[in-house]
Structures are given as structure tokens and as C-alpha cells.
Amino acid sequence: MNTPIGILDSGIGGLSVLTEINSVLPEEKIIYFGDTANLPYGNKTPAQIQKFVFDILKFFKQKKVKAVVMACNTSSALVLDKARPCFDFPIIGVIEPAVREALKVIRTSQVALFANAATIESGVYDKIMKKYSDNKISVVGKACPYFVSFVESGIFSGAEVDRVVKRYLSAFDNVNADTLILGCTHYPFLEPAIKKADAGRFKLINPAHATALELADILKDKNLENRSGLTPDYKFYVTAQPEKFTETASQLLNKKIDQAYLINPRFSLQEA
């Protein structure tokens, strides 16, 4: 089926998921939507986040997507279950794939979680971890407000990044955990800095690959795979600062992104 897959995020973090989807499903067309005018979602109310996400999903419906990946932990935590009954295409989150991936390697009674405050306060990681581990493993979360700012600014290393990473990791000094879930799709771009600071203590879980595999399974089960043989194309849409987005996205994807279409932040659903 030669119709696109939609990927949504509050900014560029979902590009970590796009990279994995491209690796697993290289023939698929993709529409990427970064809600950069409302970035970050982590400090918004649940009602605001639901409004933003539903508007993006309506945009995707207009674009006739065959599936959507919520490449955003906050929207996966707060909106996924509400959205699924309202749209006629599969919607996939990033949290359950991350938990299942973590459970393959955890050998301790606790798991560490880097996420934003809204995701942690939702309790969704605790709920899903208990579902799959029979209450045997608890989640200890640490909010990381500076990580998104670093990534959106194209800053992935340096003294300031190292200082902040070490401070956030210190929250787990007395935690019995050997595994750390990167509970925001922005965070994998800081994985080298996190590995440098934690000195091998944690196995890091990037949910992007597991999410891409789950998407592949769903497309196969529903007979939605692209078998056209045509070269796929990617389109990018943002709600603010398209030039900044294309510059940083080109850096992260290691390929030139020529254009990101600017969408009215009130989602007029019209291309600029």
C-alpha cells in the first residue's frame, strides 16, 4: 500500500524513530510532523497536549496516512489510549516497546527512567512495567528538562552537557537499577554523553528500534506494506522555525533536508 506513515513529535526528537523506521522499512513513504511552536510538551497540561495531538492526527487523516507513530513519550503516555478509538488507522506509541525491550535485559529490582515531568507524573511506565513484570520491577524516574533544549539547539556534547548529564544520573546513586530507559525520543541523541558519564553502569534502552519493529509487524498483519517498488519520499511539516528544523534535522539524519513545510500552529491544515 503506497500511502505514507505519519510520525509525530513535539520537535526533532522523533527523528530518532524515523531513522529506525527507515532502517527496518526502507520502502515506506513518511510524513513527519514536528509541533515546534508548542515545544516542549513536557510542561503543558494534559488537555493542551491532547488538543495538539488530536489536531496533528486530523492533519494525518487528511493526508491519508495508513499508520501513525507517536514518536513522543508524553503524547504516548497521555493521549494514545484516547486517540486510538477516534481514528481509522493504527496508532503506535513508544512506551510499551521500550518496556518490553528493557525487560529483556533487566537483572535488578528497579529500572531507571529519564523522561520529562509530564511522562513521569502520568505513571504510565510504572503501570506498563507492572503489567509485564507482575509487580516485580519498580520504576524510578528523573525529569530531564535541559535535554530537549540541548537537542533542539543542536548541542550534543561539551562541558555543559556533561555537567547536566552527571547531575541527572546522580538521582540514581542509591537505586538498585542496571538499566536506564531513555523515555523521550530526543534523548537518544545524547546517548554518547550519557554513556560517557555513567561509565558502563547502565544498559541504555532506546525505544526507537523496538517501535520500528512493532510498526513493521502491524503493517504486515494488516497487509499495509508498500510493495510498489517506487522510491519513497519523506515530507516534513513544522509549526515554527522551519529553517532551524531543516538545519538540525540535516545534522541528525546525516543527509540534506531541503524543506520543512510551515503549518499554522493553530493547524489550518493548509501547506504554507
Side-chain angles (χ1 to χ4, degrees):
M1 188 174 184
N2 191 30
T3 51
I5 296 163
I7 301 176
L8 71 86
D9 187 47
S10 60
I12 64 172
L15 295 176
S16 63
V17 179
L18 184 151
T19 299
E20 292 294 338
I21 291 174
N22 178 59
S23 176
V24 174
L25 298 164
E27 297 182 357
E28 297 292 345
K29 296 166 66 174
I30 291 175
I31 296 176
Y32 185 96
F33 196 113
D35 189 11
T36 45
N38 295 305
L39 176 79
Y41 278 4
N43 62 9
K44 305 297 189 298
T45 68
Q48 287 176 311
I49 295 165
Q50 181 170 327
K51 173 65 167 60
F52 300 151
V53 172
F54 267 69
D55 283 342
I56 298 170
L57 292 171
K58 291 173 186 175
F59 174 81
F60 281 145
K61 183 175 182 178
Q62 186 186 67
K63 294 297 183 182
K64 296 180 168 46
V65 300
K66 61 186 175 185
V68 169
V69 177
M70 282 191 185
C72 169
N73 278 257
T74 309
S75 59
S76 294
L78 299 175
V79 186
L80 181 61
D81 289 342
K82 297 181 178 68
R84 279 175 166 161
C86 300
F87 295 89
D88 58 1
F89 42 74
I91 305 175
I92 302 156
V94 292
I95 295 177
E96 286 213 18
V99 169
R100 291 196 297 267
E101 194 71 12
L103 286 171
K104 294 176 183 178
V105 298
I106 290 172
R107 298 292 181 268
T108 53
S109 61
Q110 296 176 303
V111 61
L113 169 69
F114 274 164
N116 62 45
T119 299
I120 293 170
E121 290 167 9
S122 76
V124 66
Y125 271 96
D126 305 83
K127 178 182 176 181
I128 295 174
M129 186 63 70
K130 288 176 181 177
K131 171 184 172 182
Y132 286 106
S133 71
D134 297 325
N135 295 321
K136 294 178 181 177
I137 299 172
S138 61
V139 178
V140 180
K142 171 61 181 173
C144 306
Y146 288 107
F147 279 2
V148 170
S149 298
F150 284 145
V151 175
E152 290 288 332
S153 300
I155 301 170
F156 311 107
S157 61
E160 181 66 8
V161 172
D162 291 344
R163 183 185 67 79
V164 171
V165 169
K166 287 179 180 178
R167 177 156 60 87
Y168 290 160
L169 283 169
S170 69
F172 306 127
D173 284 350
N174 298 313
V175 174
N176 180 32
D178 66 353
T179 302
L180 171 58
I181 298 174
L182 303 180
C184 171
T185 51
H186 284 78
Y187 299 174
F189 294 114
L190 296 172
E191 190 168 337
I194 296 170
K195 285 183 174 179
K196 174 184 173 184
D198 83 354
R201 175 186 173 187
F202 292 114
K203 296 180 279 287
L204 300 185
I205 302 299
N206 172 0
H209 184 67
T211 301
L213 293 176
E214 182 165 315
L215 172 64
D217 288 341
I218 288 173
L219 295 185
K220 183 177 180 180
D221 290 344
K222 295 183 177 294
N223 198 29
L224 295 174
E225 296 165 297
N226 181 13
R227 301 188 182 95
S228 68
L230 300 174
T231 302
D233 68 324
Y234 292 179
K235 287 187 176 180
F236 299 88
Y237 296 85
V238 295
T239 49
Q241 299 183 299
E243 295 84 5
K244 179 183 177 183
F245 177 90
T246 56
E247 179 182 353
T248 307
S250 296
Q251 179 183 359
L252 294 175
L253 296 176
N254 198 28
K255 63 182 292 186
K256 176 67 174 173
I257 304 301
D258 294 320
Q259 183 177 19
Y261 295 98
L262 180 63
I263 300 291
N264 187 309
R266 296 190 179 186
F267 300 109
S268 66
L269 307 187
Q270 298 293 319
E271 294 182 20

mmCIF file with all atom_site columns, all heavy atoms in Angstrom, residues 37-60:
data_model
loop_
_atom_site.group_PDB
_atom_site.id
_atom_site.type_symbol
_atom_site.label_atom_id
_atom_site.label_alt_id
_atom_site.label_comp_id
_atom_site.label_asym_id
_atom_site.label_entity_id
_atom_site.label_seq_id
_atom_site.pdbx_PDB_ins_code
_atom_site.Cartn_x
_atom_site.Cartn_y
_atom_site.Cartn_z
_atom_site.occupancy
_atom_site.B_iso_or_equiv
_atom_site.pdbx_formal_charge
_atom_site.auth_seq_id
_atom_site.auth_comp_id
_atom_site.auth_asym_id
_atom_site.auth_atom_id
_atom_site.pdbx_PDB_model_num
ATOM 1   N N   . ALA A 1 37 ? 6.118   24.817 17.431 1.00 0.00 ? 37 ALA A N   1
ATOM 2   C CA  . ALA A 1 37 ? 5.550   26.013 18.070 1.00 0.00 ? 37 ALA A CA  1
ATOM 3   C C   . ALA A 1 37 ? 5.126   25.737 19.496 1.00 0.00 ? 37 ALA A C   1
ATOM 4   O O   . ALA A 1 37 ? 5.055   26.654 20.321 1.00 0.00 ? 37 ALA A O   1
ATOM 5   C CB  . ALA A 1 37 ? 4.356   26.526 17.263 1.00 0.00 ? 37 ALA A CB  1
ATOM 6   N N   . ASN A 1 38 ? 4.835   24.480 19.806 1.00 0.00 ? 38 ASN A N   1
ATOM 7   C CA  . ASN A 1 38 ? 4.346   24.120 21.141 1.00 0.00 ? 38 ASN A CA  1
ATOM 8   C C   . ASN A 1 38 ? 5.364   23.309 21.949 1.00 0.00 ? 38 ASN A C   1
ATOM 9   O O   . ASN A 1 38 ? 5.030   22.768 22.995 1.00 0.00 ? 38 ASN A O   1
ATOM 10  C CB  . ASN A 1 38 ? 3.037   23.339 21.008 1.00 0.00 ? 38 ASN A CB  1
ATOM 11  C CG  . ASN A 1 38 ? 1.933   24.189 20.416 1.00 0.00 ? 38 ASN A CG  1
ATOM 12  O OD1 . ASN A 1 38 ? 1.627   25.259 20.921 1.00 0.00 ? 38 ASN A OD1 1
ATOM 13  N ND2 . ASN A 1 38 ? 1.339   23.737 19.319 1.00 0.00 ? 38 ASN A ND2 1
ATOM 14  N N   . LEU A 1 39 ? 6.576   23.251 21.454 1.00 0.00 ? 39 LEU A N   1
ATOM 15  C CA  . LEU A 1 39 ? 7.659   22.558 22.147 1.00 0.00 ? 39 LEU A CA  1
ATOM 16  C C   . LEU A 1 39 ? 8.025   23.297 23.437 1.00 0.00 ? 39 LEU A C   1
ATOM 17  O O   . LEU A 1 39 ? 8.064   24.535 23.435 1.00 0.00 ? 39 LEU A O   1
ATOM 18  C CB  . LEU A 1 39 ? 8.873   22.510 21.219 1.00 0.00 ? 39 LEU A CB  1
ATOM 19  C CG  . LEU A 1 39 ? 10.173  21.919 21.728 1.00 0.00 ? 39 LEU A CG  1
ATOM 20  C CD1 . LEU A 1 39 ? 10.083  20.402 21.673 1.00 0.00 ? 39 LEU A CD1 1
ATOM 21  C CD2 . LEU A 1 39 ? 11.348  22.406 20.881 1.00 0.00 ? 39 LEU A CD2 1
ATOM 22  N N   . PRO A 1 40 ? 8.318   22.599 24.538 1.00 0.00 ? 40 PRO A N   1
ATOM 23  C CA  . PRO A 1 40 ? 8.188   21.146 24.736 1.00 0.00 ? 40 PRO A CA  1
ATOM 24  C C   . PRO A 1 40 ? 6.801   20.787 25.258 1.00 0.00 ? 40 PRO A C   1
ATOM 25  O O   . PRO A 1 40 ? 6.128   21.613 25.877 1.00 0.00 ? 40 PRO A O   1
ATOM 26  C CB  . PRO A 1 40 ? 9.252   20.850 25.786 1.00 0.00 ? 40 PRO A CB  1
ATOM 27  C CG  . PRO A 1 40 ? 9.260   22.096 26.646 1.00 0.00 ? 40 PRO A CG  1
ATOM 28  C CD  . PRO A 1 40 ? 8.976   23.240 25.704 1.00 0.00 ? 40 PRO A CD  1
ATOM 29  N N   . TYR A 1 41 ? 6.386   19.548 25.025 1.00 0.00 ? 41 TYR A N   1
ATOM 30  C CA  . TYR A 1 41 ? 5.108   19.080 25.547 1.00 0.00 ? 41 TYR A CA  1
ATOM 31  C C   . TYR A 1 41 ? 5.175   18.796 27.046 1.00 0.00 ? 41 TYR A C   1
ATOM 32  O O   . TYR A 1 41 ? 4.148   18.784 27.723 1.00 0.00 ? 41 TYR A O   1
ATOM 33  C CB  . TYR A 1 41 ? 4.691   17.798 24.829 1.00 0.00 ? 41 TYR A CB  1
ATOM 34  C CG  . TYR A 1 41 ? 4.030   17.995 23.474 1.00 0.00 ? 41 TYR A CG  1
ATOM 35  C CD1 . TYR A 1 41 ? 3.896   19.264 22.896 1.00 0.00 ? 41 TYR A CD1 1
ATOM 36  C CD2 . TYR A 1 41 ? 3.546   16.908 22.771 1.00 0.00 ? 41 TYR A CD2 1
ATOM 37  C CE1 . TYR A 1 41 ? 3.292   19.433 21.662 1.00 0.00 ? 41 TYR A CE1 1
ATOM 38  C CE2 . TYR A 1 41 ? 2.945   17.060 21.529 1.00 0.00 ? 41 TYR A CE2 1
ATOM 39  C CZ  . TYR A 1 41 ? 2.819   18.328 20.976 1.00 0.00 ? 41 TYR A CZ  1
ATOM 40  O OH  . TYR A 1 41 ? 2.217   18.478 19.758 1.00 0.00 ? 41 TYR A OH  1
ATOM 41  N N   . GLY A 1 42 ? 6.372   18.562 27.551 1.00 0.00 ? 42 GLY A N   1
ATOM 42  C CA  . GLY A 1 42 ? 6.506   18.116 28.935 1.00 0.00 ? 42 GLY A CA  1
ATOM 43  C C   . GLY A 1 42 ? 6.013   19.094 29.974 1.00 0.00 ? 42 GLY A C   1
ATOM 44  O O   . GLY A 1 42 ? 5.705   18.704 31.100 1.00 0.00 ? 42 GLY A O   1
ATOM 45  N N   . ASN A 1 43 ? 5.941   20.375 29.629 1.00 0.00 ? 43 ASN A N   1
ATOM 46  C CA  . ASN A 1 43 ? 5.459   21.359 30.612 1.00 0.00 ? 43 ASN A CA  1
ATOM 47  C C   . ASN A 1 43 ? 4.055   21.863 30.290 1.00 0.00 ? 43 ASN A C   1
ATOM 48  O O   . ASN A 1 43 ? 3.606   22.867 30.838 1.00 0.00 ? 43 ASN A O   1
ATOM 49  C CB  . ASN A 1 43 ? 6.437   22.537 30.719 1.00 0.00 ? 43 ASN A CB  1
ATOM 50  C CG  . ASN A 1 43 ? 6.588   23.304 29.410 1.00 0.00 ? 43 ASN A CG  1
ATOM 51  O OD1 . ASN A 1 43 ? 5.846   23.075 28.457 1.00 0.00 ? 43 ASN A OD1 1
ATOM 52  N ND2 . ASN A 1 43 ? 7.555   24.210 29.364 1.00 0.00 ? 43 ASN A ND2 1
ATOM 53  N N   . LYS A 1 44 ? 3.341   21.157 29.397 1.00 0.00 ? 44 LYS A N   1
ATOM 54  C CA  . LYS A 1 44 ? 1.965   21.517 29.052 1.00 0.00 ? 44 LYS A CA  1
ATOM 55  C C   . LYS A 1 44 ? 0.988   20.667 29.865 1.00 0.00 ? 44 LYS A C   1
ATOM 56  O O   . LYS A 1 44 ? 1.350   19.621 30.420 1.00 0.00 ? 44 LYS A O   1
ATOM 57  C CB  . LYS A 1 44 ? 1.706   21.295 27.562 1.00 0.00 ? 44 LYS A CB  1
ATOM 58  C CG  . LYS A 1 44 ? 2.669   22.014 26.627 1.00 0.00 ? 44 LYS A CG  1
ATOM 59  C CD  . LYS A 1 44 ? 2.583   23.513 26.764 1.00 0.00 ? 44 LYS A CD  1
ATOM 60  C CE  . LYS A 1 44 ? 3.369   24.247 25.688 1.00 0.00 ? 44 LYS A CE  1
ATOM 61  N NZ  . LYS A 1 44 ? 4.810   23.986 25.692 1.00 0.00 ? 44 LYS A NZ  1
ATOM 62  N N   . THR A 1 45 ? -0.256  21.126 29.948 1.00 0.00 ? 45 THR A N   1
ATOM 63  C CA  . THR A 1 45 ? -1.277  20.355 30.660 1.00 0.00 ? 45 THR A CA  1
ATOM 64  C C   . THR A 1 45 ? -1.734  19.189 29.796 1.00 0.00 ? 45 THR A C   1
ATOM 65  O O   . THR A 1 45 ? -1.614  19.231 28.559 1.00 0.00 ? 45 THR A O   1
ATOM 66  C CB  . THR A 1 45 ? -2.495  21.230 30.993 1.00 0.00 ? 45 THR A CB  1
ATOM 67  O OG1 . THR A 1 45 ? -3.166  21.572 29.766 1.00 0.00 ? 45 THR A OG1 1
ATOM 68  C CG2 . THR A 1 45 ? -2.085  22.488 31.731 1.00 0.00 ? 45 THR A CG2 1
ATOM 69  N N   . PRO A 1 46 ? -2.287  18.141 30.408 1.00 0.00 ? 46 PRO A N   1
ATOM 70  C CA  . PRO A 1 46 ? -2.818  17.027 29.610 1.00 0.00 ? 46 PRO A CA  1
ATOM 71  C C   . PRO A 1 46 ? -3.849  17.481 28.581 1.00 0.00 ? 46 PRO A C   1
ATOM 72  O O   . PRO A 1 46 ? -3.877  16.965 27.456 1.00 0.00 ? 46 PRO A O   1
ATOM 73  C CB  . PRO A 1 46 ? -3.433  16.105 30.668 1.00 0.00 ? 46 PRO A CB  1
ATOM 74  C CG  . PRO A 1 46 ? -2.615  16.352 31.891 1.00 0.00 ? 46 PRO A CG  1
ATOM 75  C CD  . PRO A 1 46 ? -2.304  17.827 31.851 1.00 0.00 ? 46 PRO A CD  1
ATOM 76  N N   . ALA A 1 47 ? -4.686  18.446 28.933 1.00 0.00 ? 47 ALA A N   1
ATOM 77  C CA  . ALA A 1 47 ? -5.699  18.929 27.991 1.00 0.00 ? 47 ALA A CA  1
ATOM 78  C C   . ALA A 1 47 ? -5.056  19.621 26.789 1.00 0.00 ? 47 ALA A C   1
ATOM 79  O O   . ALA A 1 47 ? -5.495  19.434 25.644 1.00 0.00 ? 47 ALA A O   1
ATOM 80  C CB  . ALA A 1 47 ? -6.657  19.890 28.691 1.00 0.00 ? 47 ALA A CB  1
ATOM 81  N N   . GLN A 1 48 ? -4.011  20.402 27.030 1.00 0.00 ? 48 GLN A N   1
ATOM 82  C CA  . GLN A 1 48 ? -3.308  21.056 25.928 1.00 0.00 ? 48 GLN A CA  1
ATOM 83  C C   . GLN A 1 48 ? -2.670  20.028 25.004 1.00 0.00 ? 48 GLN A C   1
ATOM 84  O O   . GLN A 1 48 ? -2.776  20.119 23.774 1.00 0.00 ? 48 GLN A O   1
ATOM 85  C CB  . GLN A 1 48 ? -2.227  21.988 26.479 1.00 0.00 ? 48 GLN A CB  1
ATOM 86  C CG  . GLN A 1 48 ? -2.738  23.261 27.113 1.00 0.00 ? 48 GLN A CG  1
ATOM 87  C CD  . GLN A 1 48 ? -1.612  24.078 27.718 1.00 0.00 ? 48 GLN A CD  1
ATOM 88  O OE1 . GLN A 1 48 ? -0.766  23.554 28.469 1.00 0.00 ? 48 GLN A OE1 1
ATOM 89  N NE2 . GLN A 1 48 ? -1.583  25.359 27.404 1.00 0.00 ? 48 GLN A NE2 1
ATOM 90  N N   . ILE A 1 49 ? -2.007  19.048 25.604 1.00 0.00 ? 49 ILE A N   1
ATOM 91  C CA  . ILE A 1 49 ? -1.321  18.034 24.806 1.00 0.00 ? 49 ILE A CA  1
ATOM 92  C C   . ILE A 1 49 ? -2.318  17.248 23.964 1.00 0.00 ? 49 ILE A C   1
ATOM 93  O O   . ILE A 1 49 ? -2.078  16.973 22.780 1.00 0.00 ? 49 ILE A O   1
ATOM 94  C CB  . ILE A 1 49 ? -0.502  17.099 25.722 1.00 0.00 ? 49 ILE A CB  1
ATOM 95  C CG1 . ILE A 1 49 ? 0.625   17.884 26.400 1.00 0.00 ? 49 ILE A CG1 1
ATOM 96  C CG2 . ILE A 1 49 ? 0.079   15.925 24.926 1.00 0.00 ? 49 ILE A CG2 1
ATOM 97  C CD1 . ILE A 1 49 ? 1.259   17.177 27.570 1.00 0.00 ? 49 ILE A CD1 1
ATOM 98  N N   . GLN A 1 50 ? -3.454  16.906 24.557 1.00 0.00 ? 50 GLN A N   1
ATOM 99  C CA  . GLN A 1 50 ? -4.478  16.175 23.801 1.00 0.00 ? 50 GLN A CA  1
ATOM 100 C C   . GLN A 1 50 ? -4.958  17.002 22.609 1.00 0.00 ? 50 GLN A C   1
ATOM 101 O O   . GLN A 1 50 ? -5.133  16.468 21.507 1.00 0.00 ? 50 GLN A O   1
ATOM 102 C CB  . GLN A 1 50 ? -5.645  15.799 24.699 1.00 0.00 ? 50 GLN A CB  1
ATOM 103 C CG  . GLN A 1 50 ? -6.730  15.015 23.952 1.00 0.00 ? 50 GLN A CG  1
ATOM 104 C CD  . GLN A 1 50 ? -7.776  14.436 24.876 1.00 0.00 ? 50 GLN A CD  1
ATOM 105 O OE1 . GLN A 1 50 ? -7.480  14.066 26.013 1.00 0.00 ? 50 GLN A OE1 1
ATOM 106 N NE2 . GLN A 1 50 ? -9.004  14.342 24.390 1.00 0.00 ? 50 GLN A NE2 1
ATOM 107 N N   . LYS A 1 51 ? -5.157  18.291 22.815 1.00 0.00 ? 51 LYS A N   1
ATOM 108 C CA  . LYS A 1 51 ? -5.594  19.158 21.715 1.00 0.00 ? 51 LYS A CA  1
ATOM 109 C C   . LYS A 1 51 ? -4.553  19.183 20.607 1.00 0.00 ? 51 LYS A C   1
ATOM 110 O O   . LYS A 1 51 ? -4.886  19.036 19.412 1.00 0.00 ? 51 LYS A O   1
ATOM 111 C CB  . LYS A 1 51 ? -5.836  20.570 22.238 1.00 0.00 ? 51 LYS A CB  1
ATOM 112 C CG  . LYS A 1 51 ? -6.129  21.619 21.168 1.00 0.00 ? 51 LYS A CG  1
ATOM 113 C CD  . LYS A 1 51 ? -7.439  21.348 20.447 1.00 0.00 ? 51 LYS A CD  1
ATOM 114 C CE  . LYS A 1 51 ? -7.905  22.542 19.611 1.00 0.00 ? 51 LYS A CE  1
ATOM 115 N NZ  . LYS A 1 51 ? -6.962  22.957 18.565 1.00 0.00 ? 51 LYS A NZ  1
ATOM 116 N N   . PHE A 1 52 ? -3.283  19.372 20.967 1.00 0.00 ? 52 PHE A N   1
ATOM 117 C CA  . PHE A 1 52 ? -2.224  19.410 19.957 1.00 0.00 ? 52 PHE A CA  1
ATOM 118 C C   . PHE A 1 52 ? -2.198  18.102 19.154 1.00 0.00 ? 52 PHE A C   1
ATOM 119 O O   . PHE A 1 52 ? -2.146  18.107 17.922 1.00 0.00 ? 52 PHE A O   1
ATOM 120 C CB  . PHE A 1 52 ? -0.854  19.621 20.613 1.00 0.00 ? 52 PHE A CB  1
ATOM 121 C CG  . PHE A 1 52 ? -0.701  20.885 21.401 1.00 0.00 ? 52 PHE A CG  1
ATOM 122 C CD1 . PHE A 1 52 ? 0.177   20.946 22.479 1.00 0.00 ? 52 PHE A CD1 1
ATOM 123 C CD2 . PHE A 1 52 ? -1.420  22.036 21.076 1.00 0.00 ? 52 PHE A CD2 1
ATOM 124 C CE1 . PHE A 1 52 ? 0.335   22.110 23.214 1.00 0.00 ? 52 PHE A CE1 1
ATOM 125 C CE2 . PHE A 1 52 ? -1.269  23.210 21.805 1.00 0.00 ? 52 PHE A CE2 1
ATOM 126 C CZ  . PHE A 1 52 ? -0.395  23.239 22.873 1.00 0.00 ? 52 PHE A CZ  1
ATOM 127 N N   . VAL A 1 53 ? -2.209  16.984 19.867 1.00 0.00 ? 53 VAL A N   1
ATOM 128 C CA  . VAL A 1 53 ? -2.051  15.688 19.213 1.00 0.00 ? 53 VAL A CA  1
ATOM 129 C C   . VAL A 1 53 ? -3.254  15.354 18.343 1.00 0.00 ? 53 VAL A C   1
ATOM 130 O O   . VAL A 1 53 ? -3.098  14.860 17.212 1.00 0.00 ? 53 VAL A O   1
ATOM 131 C CB  . VAL A 1 53 ? -1.795  14.581 20.263 1.00 0.00 ? 53 VAL A CB  1
ATOM 132 C CG1 . VAL A 1 53 ? -1.829  13.201 19.619 1.00 0.00 ? 53 VAL A CG1 1
ATOM 133 C CG2 . VAL A 1 53 ? -0.450  14.815 20.946 1.00 0.00 ? 53 VAL A CG2 1
ATOM 134 N N   . PHE A 1 54 ? -4.450  15.628 18.825 1.00 0.00 ? 54 PHE A N   1
ATOM 135 C CA  . PHE A 1 54 ? -5.635  15.349 18.005 1.00 0.00 ? 54 PHE A CA  1
ATOM 136 C C   . PHE A 1 54 ? -5.639  16.191 16.730 1.00 0.00 ? 54 PHE A C   1
ATOM 137 O O   . PHE A 1 54 ? -6.042  15.717 15.661 1.00 0.00 ? 54 PHE A O   1
ATOM 138 C CB  . PHE A 1 54 ? -6.913  15.565 18.814 1.00 0.00 ? 54 PHE A CB  1
ATOM 139 C CG  . PHE A 1 54 ? -7.422  14.325 19.485 1.00 0.00 ? 54 PHE A CG  1
ATOM 140 C CD1 . PHE A 1 54 ? -6.733  13.740 20.541 1.00 0.00 ? 54 PHE A CD1 1
ATOM 141 C CD2 . PHE A 1 54 ? -8.592  13.716 19.050 1.00 0.00 ? 54 PHE A CD2 1
ATOM 142 C CE1 . PHE A 1 54 ? -7.194  12.590 21.162 1.00 0.00 ? 54 PHE A CE1 1
ATOM 143 C CE2 . PHE A 1 54 ? -9.072  12.564 19.659 1.00 0.00 ? 54 PHE A CE2 1
ATOM 144 C CZ  . PHE A 1 54 ? -8.372  11.989 20.719 1.00 0.00 ? 54 PHE A CZ  1
ATOM 145 N N   . ASP A 1 55 ? -5.179  17.424 16.822 1.00 0.00 ? 55 ASP A N   1
ATOM 146 C CA  . ASP A 1 55 ? -5.103  18.254 15.620 1.00 0.00 ? 55 ASP A CA  1
ATOM 147 C C   . ASP A 1 55 ? -4.099  17.670 14.614 1.00 0.00 ? 55 ASP A C   1
ATOM 148 O O   . ASP A 1 55 ? -4.348  17.678 13.405 1.00 0.00 ? 55 ASP A O   1
ATOM 149 C CB  . ASP A 1 55 ? -4.719  19.682 15.978 1.00 0.00 ? 55 ASP A CB  1
ATOM 150 C CG  . ASP A 1 55 ? -5.877  20.477 16.562 1.00 0.00 ? 55 ASP A CG  1
ATOM 151 O OD1 . ASP A 1 55 ? -7.032  20.051 16.379 1.00 0.00 ? 55 ASP A OD1 1
ATOM 152 O OD2 . ASP A 1 55 ? -5.634  21.522 17.185 1.00 0.00 ? 55 ASP A OD2 1
ATOM 153 N N   . ILE A 1 56 ? -2.971  17.178 15.107 1.00 0.00 ? 56 ILE A N   1
ATOM 154 C CA  . ILE A 1 56 ? -1.990  16.567 14.209 1.00 0.00 ? 56 ILE A CA  1
ATOM 155 C C   . ILE A 1 56 ? -2.559  15.293 13.586 1.00 0.00 ? 56 ILE A C   1
ATOM 156 O O   . ILE A 1 56 ? -2.379  15.032 12.388 1.00 0.00 ? 56 ILE A O   1
ATOM 157 C CB  . ILE A 1 56 ? -0.678  16.264 14.967 1.00 0.00 ? 56 ILE A CB  1
ATOM 158 C CG1 . ILE A 1 56 ? -0.045  17.554 15.482 1.00 0.00 ? 56 ILE A CG1 1
ATOM 159 C CG2 . ILE A 1 56 ? 0.311   15.541 14.049 1.00 0.00 ? 56 ILE A CG2 1
ATOM 160 C CD1 . ILE A 1 56 ? 1.110   17.336 16.439 1.00 0.00 ? 56 ILE A CD1 1
ATOM 161 N N   . LEU A 1 57 ? -3.260  14.501 14.383 1.00 0.00 ? 57 LEU A N   1
ATOM 162 C CA  . LEU A 1 57 ? -3.852  13.276 13.855 1.00 0.00 ? 57 LEU A CA  1
ATOM 163 C C   . LEU A 1 57 ? -4.910  13.593 12.791 1.00 0.00 ? 57 LEU A C   1
ATOM 164 O O   . LEU A 1 57 ? -5.035  12.864 11.791 1.00 0.00 ? 57 LEU A O   1
ATOM 165 C CB  . LEU A 1 57 ? -4.453  12.448 14.988 1.00 0.00 ? 57 LEU A CB  1
ATOM 166 C CG  . LEU A 1 57 ? -3.442  11.843 15.961 1.00 0.00 ? 57 LEU A CG  1
ATOM 167 C CD1 . LEU A 1 57 ? -4.159  11.231 17.163 1.00 0.00 ? 57 LEU A CD1 1
ATOM 168 C CD2 . LEU A 1 57 ? -2.568  10.797 15.282 1.00 0.00 ? 57 LEU A CD2 1
ATOM 169 N N   . LYS A 1 58 ? -5.651  14.661 12.958 1.00 0.00 ? 58 LYS A N   1
ATOM 170 C CA  . LYS A 1 58 ? -6.609  15.084 11.928 1.00 0.00 ? 58 LYS A CA  1
ATOM 171 C C   . LYS A 1 58 ? -5.877  15.496 10.654 1.00 0.00 ? 58 LYS A C   1
ATOM 172 O O   . LYS A 1 58 ? -6.349  15.232 9.533  1.00 0.00 ? 58 LYS A O   1
ATOM 173 C CB  . LYS A 1 58 ? -7.472  16.227 12.460 1.00 0.00 ? 58 LYS A CB  1
ATOM 174 C CG  . LYS A 1 58 ? -8.442  15.815 13.560 1.00 0.00 ? 58 LYS A CG  1
ATOM 175 C CD  . LYS A 1 58 ? -9.138  17.032 14.163 1.00 0.00 ? 58 LYS A CD  1
ATOM 176 C CE  . LYS A 1 58 ? -9.996  16.631 15.361 1.00 0.00 ? 58 LYS A CE  1
ATOM 177 N NZ  . LYS A 1 58 ? -10.579 17.837 16.034 1.00 0.00 ? 58 LYS A NZ  1
ATOM 178 N N   . PHE A 1 59 ? -4.735  16.152 10.828 1.00 0.00 ? 59 PHE A N   1
ATOM 179 C CA  . PHE A 1 59 ? -3.900  16.503 9.679  1.00 0.00 ? 59 PHE A CA  1
ATOM 180 C C   . PHE A 1 59 ? -3.446  15.238 8.949  1.00 0.00 ? 59 PHE A C   1
ATOM 181 O O   . PHE A 1 59 ? -3.515  15.156 7.715  1.00 0.00 ? 59 PHE A O   1
ATOM 182 C CB  . PHE A 1 59 ? -2.700  17.313 10.163 1.00 0.00 ? 59 PHE A CB  1
ATOM 183 C CG  . PHE A 1 59 ? -1.685  17.627 9.101  1.00 0.00 ? 59 PHE A CG  1
ATOM 184 C CD1 . PHE A 1 59 ? -1.879  18.688 8.228  1.00 0.00 ? 59 PHE A CD1 1
ATOM 185 C CD2 . PHE A 1 59 ? -0.538  16.860 8.973  1.00 0.00 ? 59 PHE A CD2 1
ATOM 186 C CE1 . PHE A 1 59 ? -0.933  18.985 7.253  1.00 0.00 ? 59 PHE A CE1 1
ATOM 187 C CE2 . PHE A 1 59 ? 0.410   17.145 8.002  1.00 0.00 ? 59 PHE A CE2 1
ATOM 188 C CZ  . PHE A 1 59 ? 0.217   18.211 7.140  1.00 0.00 ? 59 PHE A CZ  1
ATOM 189 N N   . PHE A 1 60 ? -2.993  14.252 9.718  1.00 0.00 ? 60 PHE A N   1
ATOM 190 C CA  . PHE A 1 60 ? -2.566  12.986 9.104  1.00 0.00 ? 60 PHE A CA  1
ATOM 191 C C   . PHE A 1 60 ? -3.727  12.306 8.380  1.00 0.00 ? 60 PHE A C   1
ATOM 192 O O   . PHE A 1 60 ? -3.547  11.707 7.314  1.00 0.00 ? 60 PHE A O   1
ATOM 193 C CB  . PHE A 1 60 ? -1.992  12.055 10.163 1.00 0.00 ? 60 PHE A CB  1
ATOM 194 C CG  . PHE A 1 60 ? -0.579  12.370 10.579 1.00 0.00 ? 60 PHE A CG  1
ATOM 195 C CD1 . PHE A 1 60 ? -0.171  12.184 11.894 1.00 0.00 ? 60 PHE A CD1 1
ATOM 196 C CD2 . PHE A 1 60 ? 0.349   12.830 9.671  1.00 0.00 ? 60 PHE A CD2 1
ATOM 197 C CE1 . PHE A 1 60 ? 1.133   12.450 12.283 1.00 0.00 ? 60 PHE A CE1 1
ATOM 198 C CE2 . PHE A 1 60 ? 1.658   13.109 10.037 1.00 0.00 ? 60 PHE A CE2 1
ATOM 199 C CZ  . PHE A 1 60 ? 2.049   12.913 11.351 1.00 0.00 ? 60 PHE A CZ  1
#
